[in-house]
Amino acid sequence: MTITLFGHKLDFLAALGFAIILTYVFLAIFAPLLAPFGEAEIVGDAWGPIDGAHWLGTDNLGRDLLSRLLYGGRVSIGLSIAITCLCFVIGVSSGLLAAVVGGWIDLVLCRLVDLMLSIPTLIFVFIILSGLGSDLYVLVVTIALIDSTKVFRLTRSVALGLVEMEFVDAARARGENFWWIMRAEILPNALSPLIAEFGLRFCFTFLFVAALSFLGLGVQPPNADWGSMVKDYADVINLGLLAPLLPAGAIALLTVGVNFVADWLLRLRDASQGAA
Amino acid sequence: MLIILGKKLVAAVLTLMAASVLIFAGTELLPGDLAGSILQNNATPETLAQLRLDLKLDQPATVRFMGWVEKLAHGDLGRSLTNDQDVATEIAPRLANTIFLATYAALVAVPLALGLGLITALYQGRWIDRIANVGSLMAISFPEYFLAYLLIKILAVDLGLLPSLANVAPDTELGPRLILTLLPMITLVLGTLAHMLRMTRTAVLSIMERPFIEMAILKGLPQWQIISRHALPNALAPIVSVIALNLGYLVVGVVVVETVFVYPGLGQLMVDAVGKHDVPVVQACGMIFATAFIGLNLLADMITIIANPRLRRQTQ
């Protein structure tokens, strides 16, 4: 059986990746309907056993672990998608601006990006958080901003190649305005590398937010995402319980899925470039 | 060549200066009341006023920045806001611990990545290459704490082979220290190995397609000689620069791993300090991490230039 997507044959790993992503999206969207218990509802003793009512047992406060996982996934995935989208809005618009307008705007933006990339991302975010605290909006804006530097570089380099093309000259010659050129001439042609990049940036953001929460600097209680669940459950690994491995494994599996798909997209691009 | 290297060095120093501005601005200039966020619930008008005076918040930012840089240059990192300890004395043993762990991991990861990278390149397309390819893609995707807890569950809890906490003391001997830090080391190796392995494989494969390798094959040289005498020396520059970049990652990856294993290193200290808004400690740790990161990037650039004669001769 072969499945095709956008006219390209899916290989096994890519199909697996898509299946994983769709499952996660489904679970995240319908979490409130699927979860047998409420997110913060205390239903039994701490670390209760696995039984018919509690498929994964209960957690450190006696809440249903499966329900916690479903709700935590909503937070993790929702937050990461929001950050990645914001990151693309900032990165793509500033990248296009730098490439199409050029001149001092380009220079200033490039230097700014160099400056932000001069220290490791994690350290940069630490520094911002130490001043402003782990407020949810601070987290979203800071991570989106620091991550948009990579989208900026990609968009700029792709767009720089496109501005030289004849169809852009033609659009300029027939007097189209700046916005038209950006939206109708450049963006559609820059789309395919940006889609693969979206997958990679999502992975990065997803892992990054989870790592921050794991360190206690991300999502703050009473909210919980998978990263903070790993932190909360970490102690019981020494008792032989698998609790911290469940949210950590959930994070790992989704990242693997997205990476399989992104890897496939990148190989498609390489193949089409090779043929051209 | 010296001119190019000198230029790279100057650029790195400028980057470091830019990083110091960024670190200072990020911790002290952002909107919001720094004194208020440090004191949290303990804030009274008097303590707030006192802390503002202690932090010299009444002075202009440029004056504070110059003062901070001047003290930094003299090795004075200030005093911690939470326990009033001298930051430099607090950091020194932890920095040594972090360097120890990072070096330990690097000494294992680098030879392993080179060896496996060579093997997968030689057996390109066969089962061992495919396993390594899928395996490395998965290892790149796994968060460090997932690997870490998996290792703890299997090696420490179920089999009881290794300690699950890396709680080294300053007087721990080298032998026990190596055992205590074995699990954190393996976690870091798994995290960095995949990327280095893939880059080694790509570099060797691209060299293997060149005419001089074909010549060596036609001469009838045994394969190990083709690899060791013709392919590897030419693939070395890209590989070494990837290794230096990955060691930069190691410096940061260490933060999560230290937290998992409760290892008394710099990363754990910084995480604590961020949570407590301990600005001088955050600034000092940030500067150390940034310096290591920029230094390793510089090293990668320099090795690439030294190893490639064409880059060496470019004087522009």
Side-chain angles (χ1 to χ4, degrees):
Chain A
M1 185 186 76
T2 52
I3 309 165
T4 53
L5 193 75
F6 311 129
H8 296 286
K9 213 165 37 173
L10 276 179
D11 65 8
F12 172 71
L13 288 180
L16 188 67
F18 273 115
I20 294 173
I21 295 171
L22 291 177
T23 313
Y24 270 76
V25 170
F26 175 80
L27 291 177
I29 292 174
F30 295 106
L33 298 175
L34 295 167
F37 297 94
E39 187 184 6
E41 190 183 344
I42 294 175
V43 294
D45 296 332
W47 304 119
I50 292 170
D51 55 33
H54 310 289
W55 290 1
L56 295 173
T58 54
D59 76 350
N60 55 339
L61 297 177
R63 296 165 298 193
D64 182 56
L65 197 53
L66 178 64
S67 309
R68 293 286 289 171
L69 269 181
L70 286 167
Y71 279 104
R74 246 170 114 81
V75 178
S76 279
I77 296 170
L79 201 57
S80 308
I81 290 179
I83 294 174
T84 314
C85 288
L86 181 61
C87 151
F88 265 73
V89 170
I90 302 172
V92 170
S93 54
S94 59
L96 286 179
L97 192 72
V100 178
V101 180
W104 66 268
I105 293 185
D106 186 29
L107 199 72
V108 169
L109 283 171
C110 284
R111 285 296 145 272
L112 210 60
V113 164
D114 287 347
L115 179 67
M116 283 170 72
L117 290 177
S118 68
I119 54 179
T121 314
L122 187 66
I123 304 301
F124 184 89
V125 174
F126 276 179
I127 284 160
I128 304 283
L129 292 183
S130 75
L132 292 179
S134 292
D135 180 69
L136 203 57
Y137 293 105
V138 174
L139 270 181
V140 170
V141 173
T142 309
I143 300 175
L145 203 61
I146 184 83
D147 212 22
S148 70
T149 52
K150 282 149 195 160
V151 182
F152 168 83
R153 282 190 171 174
L154 180 74
T155 313
R156 181 178 171 273
S157 74
V158 171
L160 273 182
L162 290 172
V163 218
E164 304 294 312
M165 302 292 246
E166 280 159 7
F167 59 81
V168 177
D169 273 347
R172 282 210 179 105
R174 61 174 193 264
E176 301 288 3
N177 68 22
F178 172 74
W179 294 109
W180 171 274
I181 293 176
M182 288 245 261
R183 195 175 47 79
E185 308 290 342
I186 304 222
L187 196 56
N189 290 296
L191 220 51
S192 82
L194 285 176
I195 291 174
E197 182 71 8
F198 191 88
L200 295 177
R201 297 268 60 88
F202 171 82
C203 272
F204 175 84
T205 310
F206 182 65
L207 286 175
F208 196 80
V209 173
L212 276 180
S213 296
F214 171 72
L215 295 171
L217 301 171
V219 176
Q220 298 295 317
N223 295 321
D225 69 339
W226 282 336
S228 50
M229 286 172 72
V230 179
K231 172 182 64 106
D232 290 343
Y233 302 163
D235 296 339
V236 295
I237 193 85
N238 290 313
L239 305 174
L241 292 175
L242 289 173
L245 283 177
L246 294 174
I251 295 166
L253 186 62
L254 178 57
T255 329
V256 170
V258 178
N259 262 328
F260 279 159
V261 173
D263 196 50
W264 175 72
L265 284 171
L266 287 175
R267 268 183 285 131
L268 275 188
R269 196 191 61 191
D270 291 349
S272 68
Q273 277 174 354
Chain B
M1 184 173 77
L2 279 178
I3 300 171
I4 305 176
L5 291 184
K7 274 184 185 165
K8 287 278 173 198
L9 190 65
V10 172
V13 172
L14 285 176
T15 316
L16 193 60
M17 282 159 70
S20 75
V21 174
L22 204 62
I23 288 172
F24 181 81
T27 44
E28 300 204 7
L29 292 189
L30 284 174
D33 180 15
L34 180 67
S37 71
I38 291 170
L39 287 173
Q40 296 283 351
N41 299 330
N42 305 324
T44 62
E46 296 84 55
T47 53
L48 273 177
Q50 183 59 42
L51 186 65
R52 287 212 183 92
L53 214 60
D54 288 348
L55 292 173
K56 303 194 173 68
L57 289 183
D58 50 339
Q59 295 174 12
T62 44
V63 174
R64 279 189 284 144
F65 177 68
M66 292 318 288
W68 179 65
V69 170
E70 197 188 330
K71 279 163 96 185
L72 204 63
H74 288 99
D76 178 4
L77 302 178
R79 289 183 118 37
S80 162
L81 294 177
T82 42
N83 56 12
D84 202 37
Q85 291 247 325
D86 180 42
V87 175
T89 29
E90 201 179 353
I91 279 182
R94 284 171 170 270
L95 177 61
N97 278 344
T98 294
I99 291 175
F100 173 81
L101 182 58
T103 315
Y104 190 16
L107 287 179
V108 176
V110 172
L112 206 59
L114 288 182
L116 287 174
L118 265 181
I119 291 174
T120 51
L122 282 183
Y123 295 97
Q124 187 200 2
R126 306 229 212 125
W127 63 269
I128 187 166
D129 180 37
R130 290 206 193 146
I131 290 179
N133 202 17
V134 175
S136 59
L137 196 57
M138 286 168 76
I140 291 172
S141 319
F142 286 171
E144 291 94 347
Y145 42 88
F146 178 64
L147 291 170
Y149 286 121
L150 206 60
L151 289 171
I152 290 182
K153 169 77 176 119
I154 297 169
L155 293 176
V157 180
D158 289 352
L159 300 175
L161 292 176
L162 292 167
S164 63
L165 294 183
N167 46 350
V168 296
D171 56 349
T172 313
E173 304 270 330
L174 184 64
R177 190 177 278 257
L178 288 176
I179 302 285
L180 278 172
T181 50
L182 199 57
L183 274 183
M185 181 278 281
I186 297 174
T187 312
L188 279 175
V189 167
L190 288 175
T192 44
L193 183 67
H195 198 217
M196 287 199 268
L197 187 159
R198 286 190 141 206
M199 292 304 286
T200 309
R201 178 177 176 276
T202 316
V204 172
L205 280 181
S206 76
I207 297 287
M208 293 300 275
E209 284 170 0
R210 304 274 284 276
F212 63 84
I213 297 290
E214 205 174 335
M215 179 68 204
I217 296 171
L218 291 175
K219 272 199 303 194
L221 284 182
Q223 193 161 40
W224 64 269
Q225 243 184 359
I226 297 175
I227 297 292
S228 65
R229 301 218 9 223
H230 296 273
L232 208 49
N234 287 294
L236 215 54
I239 294 173
V240 169
S241 89
V242 168
I243 288 174
L245 289 177
N246 261 278
L247 294 183
Y249 159 82
L250 203 65
V251 174
V252 179
V254 109
V255 174
V256 171
V257 173
E258 281 178 3
T259 309
V260 173
F261 292 97
V262 201
Y263 182 73
L266 198 61
Q268 216 203 8
L269 180 74
M270 187 167 186
V271 171
D272 275 354
V274 172
K276 291 174 185 160
H277 303 284
D278 193 340
V279 173
V281 178
V282 174
Q283 287 172 337
C285 293
M287 276 311 287
I288 292 173
F289 278 122
T291 311
F293 185 74
I294 293 167
L296 285 166
N297 274 305
L298 175 69
L299 194 67
D301 276 355
M302 289 196 152
I303 291 168
T304 317
I305 292 170
I306 292 170
N308 190 336
R310 264 168 300 182
L311 287 177
R312 239 182 280 163
R313 259 181 257 117
Q314 257 174 21
T315 40
Q316 37 161 307

